[in-house]
Amino acid sequence: MAREEVAERGSSHQPAVRAMTARLTRRPGGPARLRALLASGQTIVAPGAFDPLAARLVEEAGFPAVYMTGFGTSAALLGRPDVGLLTMTEMADNAARIAACVDIPVIADADTGYGNPINVIRTVGAYEAAGVAGIHIEDQVAPKKCGHMDGKLVIPAAEMAAKIQAAAEARADPDFVIIARTDARAVEGFEQALARARRYLQAGADALFIEALTSEAEIAQAAGAFRGVPLLFNWAEGGKTPPIGLARLQELGYRIVIFPISTLLAATAAMRRILQEISQAGTPAAALGDLPAFGEFVDFIGLPEVRAAEQRYTATEAAAAPEHADGTP
């Protein structure tokens, strides 16, 4: 068959084929789509995902973006707390697996940038290659800690500003979103945290993340200090920041709200329950009614698309047989 005929046949089936293969490939343009969400004026609610399955569930629930949590990644990959144990490549690899399986933009934790400005340049390249839409980088001393743990230390503000400048200048895609996070509230106080955030904004950050605010008054004051600047609010489950309603956060002007470990805590509770059932009853039979059916689950993770691809691309013996120059078998 001539190449032109093959191309024509492929184009005529393109919508159906794309629908079949969409769940098996990454949709490009995450940074541009995240920028569009930021420009829309809506508050982007991005629940946390610690692995691709959690990210698929976030997408299924209809959220516009997903947040790759460093806390959850450390718990899922290592079974250990978020105290700087994971390397940049481990974090970027998890981000890549998450970004590959969802069509919504992924915002990812990039910890401290994993070193000095030169290291940050490599970090930005790795996360861009992973397919995420944006990252946040924090001003903690390495090894860092979860933002809601005690004992944090921060680097000099000038050093962090250089990292943000390097990140902004290193990105290949100008839409890739750089979020500057400061952990200075717990170390230097609220006013210094605001001062650092201003400096990071001037260095080239697209959005700001003032971590571990301790009262609703501080949450409101931080929003008031940066009118018109995209701010990220960390709704840290059980952390130092008080729980506050989404409507109030929207009223204050926060543009991104993450819920980093809700899925992690929920998954832990559910696994504990089923394991207790197996331990006590010998099998999970009594609890199966509360679980997704096997068929439902494999459909959710994409088995129908795999089956369709197998049918389309598995050559039959006749189709695979070579042709002679005159077209005869």
Side-chain angles (χ1 to χ4, degrees):
M1 181 178 290
R3 181 177 301 174
E4 292 78 7
E5 293 178 87
V6 173
E8 184 177 350
R9 185 181 69 177
S11 63
S12 66
H13 291 78
Q14 191 60 36
V17 172
R18 180 58 191 152
M20 176 186 69
T21 61
R23 298 310 304 163
L24 306 177
T25 60
R26 173 187 295 144
R27 180 183 176 191
R33 283 180 281 126
L34 181 57
R35 290 276 182 177
L37 286 170
L38 286 170
S40 72
Q42 74 177 85
T43 298
I44 303 167
V45 178
F50 51 90
D51 67 6
L53 178 59
R56 290 287 299 274
L57 290 165
V58 169
E59 181 179 47
E60 181 192 48
F63 292 98
V66 61
Y67 171 65
M68 189 201 84
T69 158
F71 185 105
T73 297
S74 185
L77 296 188
L78 300 180
R80 295 289 182 265
D82 183 14
V83 290
L85 299 175
L86 286 169
T87 65
M88 182 273 283
T89 51
E90 288 173 315
M91 288 283 285
D93 284 349
N94 198 41
R97 286 189 288 271
I98 288 172
C101 77
V102 294
D103 284 341
I104 56 177
V106 178
I107 302 167
D109 186 346
D111 294 320
T112 64
Y114 309 100
N116 64 23
I118 306 304
N119 300 111
V120 168
I121 291 170
R122 180 168 182 247
T123 295
V124 169
Y127 276 84
E128 277 198 279
V132 305
I135 57 174
H136 67 71
I137 300 173
E138 67 208 42
D139 56 7
Q140 282 196 55
V141 170
K144 57 75 57 82
K145 292 181 174 65
C146 164
H148 293 261
M149 292 179 181
D150 294 328
K152 297 185 295 182
L153 297 171
V154 292
I155 62 175
E159 185 178 336
M160 177 62 177
K163 288 187 180 188
I164 295 300
Q165 180 182 356
E169 294 175 353
R171 54 190 163 190
D173 184 344
D175 285 330
F176 188 77
V177 176
I178 304 296
I179 304 167
R181 167 176 149 178
T182 179
D183 285 69
R185 169 62 187 88
V187 183
E188 300 175 341
F190 178 68
E191 291 300 330
Q192 278 301 110
L194 296 185
R196 280 175 172 260
R198 291 188 194 96
R199 187 161 187 173
Y200 305 160
L201 185 64
Q202 293 169 356
D206 301 302
L208 299 175
F209 175 1
I210 304 171
E211 177 64 303
L213 299 174
T214 60
S215 68
E216 185 168 344
E218 288 187 352
I219 294 166
Q221 289 172 41
F226 294 101
R227 293 292 181 196
V229 176
L231 294 182
L232 183 151
F233 182 86
N234 185 11
W235 208 102
E237 301 86 337
K240 295 182 180 297
T241 301
I244 184 170
L246 181 62
R248 176 60 173 154
L249 293 172
Q250 292 172 324
E251 178 187 345
L252 291 172
Y254 282 90
R255 303 299 306 285
I256 305 170
V257 180
I258 60 173
F259 298 84
I261 60 172
S262 293
T263 58
L264 177 70
L265 298 178
T268 300
M271 286 189 281
R272 276 181 171 160
R273 284 194 297 271
I274 196 67
L275 292 170
Q276 185 178 35
E277 178 66 24
I278 295 170
S279 174
Q280 293 177 351
T283 77
L288 291 181
D290 296 327
L291 304 179
F294 179 77
E296 175 193 347
F297 184 76
V298 295
D299 284 353
F300 168 65
I301 59 175
L303 185 60
E305 290 84 359
V306 171
R307 295 294 193 216
E310 286 176 339
Q311 291 177 7
R312 179 173 178 80
Y313 300 116
T314 300
T316 64
E317 183 177 347
E323 293 182 352
H324 294 294
D326 62 0
T328 62

